Amino acid sequence: MSALLDDPGFTYLAALSNHTKHRSIIEVSYSVNFESDAVEHGLRFNPFTYDGVAYPAKWVRPTLIDEYQRQERWLLTIGNAVSGKFRARP
């Protein structure tokens, strides 16, 4: 469970969610990045600070997809482990 909850991706989204619920909505803006070889564009979370920690701007789509896929793997692993424990009980 700690591997699920202590990950930087989870921490980022938890801070973003709590900031939005208890302070103000983190703005999302459309951005274009011409600095890399492949031009990036899309929605970006603006930088914010929550509980004294500064969080950088992040692209919305890869941030959400990466965290969803990471949690999906962990939830399957945890669910299978719990099911295995129950199957092993008399």
Side-chain angles (χ1 to χ4, degrees):
M1 287 297 290
S2 62
L4 176 67
L5 302 176
D6 293 340
D7 185 82
F10 183 88
T11 303
Y12 178 87
L13 289 177
L16 182 118
S17 173
N18 284 316
H19 189 288
T20 299
K21 287 189 292 187
H22 302 293
R23 295 183 184 164
S24 64
I25 294 174
I26 301 302
E27 290 190 26
V28 175
S29 54
Y30 189 83
S31 298
V32 179
N33 179 6
F34 295 104
E35 295 174 1
S36 64
D37 291 338
V39 175
E40 295 176 287
H41 64 92
L43 297 175
R44 282 184 79 159
F45 294 117
N46 286 344
F48 65 98
T49 301
Y50 185 73
D51 275 350
V53 178
Y55 293 92
K58 285 191 166 201
W59 296 104
V60 171
R61 185 172 168 77
T63 299
L64 296 179
I65 288 172
D66 291 348
E67 185 58 17
Y68 177 86
Q69 290 174 344
R70 188 191 72 80
Q71 285 187 24
E72 184 177 47
R73 285 189 302 271
W74 275 109
L75 291 173
L76 286 171
T77 300
I78 292 166
N80 288 335
V82 170
S83 293
K85 291 288 184 184
F86 280 118
R87 265 186 291 213
R89 295 182 81 195

